[in-house]
């Protein structure tokens, strides 16, 4: 890791030696902004390869995020304090960061932690009691479905590990997932819980009754797998709803929704894109859709929003629904669940959701990447800059 001060901001450059990226052999996709930052090529399990790079540049964050509220902050504070109370002084120091440490708060990735180092402490370095308390904190902060998705994404890392091969020992539900706490958990003052690893980023920022769960990244390689005879599909709610939304378009609507600005081989607003600048709005206006089609757009947004407990999720969804007539949906490359580089976007005044099928490097088919951001509430800040 190399760090330096550039133009008044701290820039940390991480040279990644492997990880989860996209293949460059597809005909349909030119590099998106995110993939250009990540690089591509052959690598170990999970995809990606030598020469990958992600650069985290600290931006200005405020605490004025446009959250509609509904957070279960008091319960999260109790669980967070219980977790922190289990730690010895050395581990507590590794887990705890200043809330104003913006560069660390922005350090999340789709890549394995062996490729892009995370902040905090790995689950493997906690005792069983500490690990139980950490997961209990996360369980309180998320809905049942949101918490189960975390566990299922961790299982996909165990699955990749079971495949063996070069670098496979770097994967696993304990070795690849880290937890950090920013600020002092409080019912009145801002703090943040960060949990993530390969294909997972949960950035949960609280400020009184306000909460932000973005930036949020979920993904899975493979898209589904078997555990004890049962199928596990960690990103199924998001994939099913996003593909259903596009599948319901008429031929003319689908033509109007196709992006003309380019094609993509990964997410545009994934990790490292925190300056608050989003692409110009493109695609098909939701205002022109039928009532049934609008319900599918709402269902797709719900798949992401509902990772928060019910009250906060309902308030966030209501915010996005109030902006539905100013929201657009779009696609590029392909639109099938198993097609190469299928790319789907929801772009509203606040909500930004991207979903893409990326090329797998350790398993034979595509796998899923998706990012959910709130333009007015990422990191609990109105507009990072």
């Amino acid at each position: 890791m190399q760090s330096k001060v550039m133009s008044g901001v701290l820039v940390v450059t991480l040279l990644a030696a492997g990880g989860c990226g996209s293949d460059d052999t597809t005909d349909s996709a030119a590099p998106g902004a995110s993939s250009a930052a990540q690089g591509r090529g052959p690598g170990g399990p999970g995809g990606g390869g030598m020469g990958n790079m992600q650069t985290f540049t600290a931006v200005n964050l405020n605490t004025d995020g446009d959250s509609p509220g509904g957070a279960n902050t008091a319960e999260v504070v109790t669980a967070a304090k219980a977790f922190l109370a289990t730690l010895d002084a050395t581990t507590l120091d590794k887990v705890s960061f200043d809330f104003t440490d913006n560069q660390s708060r922005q350090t999340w990735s789709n890549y394995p932690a062996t490729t892009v180092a995370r902040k905090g402490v790995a689950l493997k370095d906690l005792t069983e009691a500490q690990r139980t308390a950490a997961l209990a904190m996360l369980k309180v902060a998320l809905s049942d479905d949101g918490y189960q998705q975390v566990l299922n994404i961790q299982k996909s890392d165990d699955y990749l590990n079971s495949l063996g091969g070069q670098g496979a020992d770097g994967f696993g539900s304990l070795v690849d997932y880290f937890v950090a706490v920013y600020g002092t958990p409080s019912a009145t003052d801002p703090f943040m819980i960060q949990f993530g690893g390969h294909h997972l980023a949960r950035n949960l920022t609280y400020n009184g009754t306000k909460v932000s769960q973005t930036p949020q990244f979920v993904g899975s390689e493979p898209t589904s797998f078997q555990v004890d005879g049962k199928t596990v599909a960690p990103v199924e709610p998001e994939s099913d709803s996003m593909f259903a939304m596009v599948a319901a378009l008429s031929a003319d609507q689908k033509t109007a929704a196709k992006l003309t600005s380019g094609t993509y081989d990964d997410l545009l607003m994934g990790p490292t894109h925190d300056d608050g600048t989003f692409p110009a709005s493109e695609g098909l206006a939701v205002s022109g859709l039928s009532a049934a089609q609008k319900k599918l757009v709402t269902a797709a947004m719900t798949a992401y929003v509902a990772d928060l407990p019910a009250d906060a999720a309902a308030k966030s969804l209501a915010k996005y629904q109030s902006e539905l007539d100013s929201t657009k949906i779009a696609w590029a490359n392909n639109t099938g669940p198993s097609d190469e580089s299928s790319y789907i976007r929801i772009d509203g005044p606040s909500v930004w959701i991207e979903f893409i099928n990326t090329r797998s490097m350790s398993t034979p088919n595509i796998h899923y990447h998706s990012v959910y951001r709130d333009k007015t509430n990422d990191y609990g800040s109105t507009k990072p800059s």
Side-chain angles (χ1 to χ4, degrees):
M1 184 172 71
Q2 178 184 6
S3 62
K4 58 186 178 181
V5 175
M6 179 181 295
S7 300
V9 297
L10 178 65
V11 177
V12 176
T13 301
L14 298 168
L15 295 175
C20 181
S22 52
D23 185 82
D24 58 356
T25 59
T26 57
D27 294 329
S28 60
S34 182
S35 60
Q38 294 167 355
R40 293 161 290 165
M50 299 296 292
N52 295 318
M53 177 185 292
Q54 287 189 338
T55 301
F56 300 97
T57 303
V59 299
N60 294 319
L61 300 174
N62 60 44
T63 57
D64 299 327
D66 184 21
S67 165
N72 61 336
T73 309
E75 298 173 29
V76 175
V77 168
T78 298
K81 288 183 175 178
F83 164 57
L84 296 175
T86 67
L87 306 179
D88 58 65
T90 300
T91 308
L92 181 63
D93 186 59
K94 292 179 180 178
V95 168
S96 303
F97 294 80
D98 291 337
F99 183 75
T100 55
D101 186 347
N102 293 338
Q103 186 272 324
S104 294
R105 291 174 66 193
Q106 296 168 233
T107 303
W108 56 273
S109 174
N110 55 298
Y111 278 86
T114 50
T115 302
V116 176
R118 304 304 201 274
K119 300 297 180 179
V121 65
L123 293 184
K124 71 176 179 61
D125 293 327
L126 298 176
T127 67
E128 184 173 350
Q130 293 167 341
R131 195 159 54 239
T132 298
L135 293 176
M137 173 180 67
L138 201 61
K139 184 175 175 59
V140 168
L142 298 172
S143 65
D144 290 346
D145 288 345
Y147 180 66
Q148 187 60 52
Q149 184 176 52
V150 168
L151 300 181
N152 287 344
I153 290 173
Q154 289 180 272
K155 288 176 184 175
S156 67
D157 250 34
D158 284 337
Y159 178 84
L160 288 174
N161 181 278
S162 73
L163 298 179
Q166 182 180 6
D169 56 353
F171 293 99
S173 58
L174 298 183
V175 301
D176 202 16
Y177 295 88
F178 286 64
V179 59
V181 176
Y182 296 83
T184 301
S186 164
T188 55
D189 298 323
F191 69 98
M192 174 177 165
I193 295 170
Q194 187 177 62
F195 185 90
H198 188 208
H199 283 149
L200 178 66
R202 298 289 193 192
N203 296 301
L204 296 152
T205 307
Y206 297 86
N207 188 6
T209 61
K210 299 198 301 185
V211 60
S212 166
Q213 63 167 324
T214 62
Q216 177 204 99
F217 184 99
V218 294
S220 177
E221 182 186 0
T223 58
S224 66
F225 50 93
Q226 294 282 311
V227 176
D228 298 329
K230 296 181 179 178
T231 299
V232 178
V235 194
E236 187 175 44
E238 291 83 358
S239 58
D240 282 359
S241 59
M242 291 291 278
F243 286 115
M245 178 183 75
V246 174
L249 299 179
S250 68
D252 287 344
Q253 288 172 327
K254 191 172 178 182
T255 297
K258 186 173 183 178
L259 290 167
T260 59
S261 58
T263 56
Y264 306 93
D265 64 0
D266 214 329
L267 305 169
L268 270 177
M269 298 303 293
T272 77
H273 296 276
D274 286 332
D275 64 359
T277 302
F278 287 77
S281 183
E282 289 186 83
L284 178 67
V286 174
S287 59
L289 300 183
S290 69
Q293 290 171 322
K294 287 181 179 179
K295 285 185 178 179
L296 292 175
V297 178
T298 298
M301 295 191 298
T302 302
Y304 295 82
V305 170
D307 286 348
L308 285 178
D311 191 17
K315 290 181 183 300
S316 291
L317 185 62
K319 170 185 172 183
Y320 300 150
Q321 285 180 300
S322 72
E323 300 171 341
L324 206 55
D325 284 347
S326 300
T327 298
K328 293 183 178 180
I329 61 174
W331 65 278
N333 306 328
N334 290 304
T335 56
S338 59
D339 293 344
E340 199 75 37
S341 301
S342 290
Y343 175 91
I344 304 172
R345 178 190 301 175
I346 299 175
D347 181 9
S350 300
V351 68
W352 172 274
I353 295 171
E354 289 177 272
F355 191 101
I356 192 164
N357 299 351
T358 68
R359 171 81 339 236
S360 299
M361 303 301 290
S362 304
T363 53
N365 301 311
I366 58 89
H367 69 281
Y368 295 145
H369 284 181
S370 188
V371 70
Y372 160 38
R373 311 196 72 144
D374 188 313
K375 300 174 185 176
T376 61
N377 197 30
D378 263 9
Y379 303 101
S381 178
T382 47
K383 185 173 176 55
S385 60

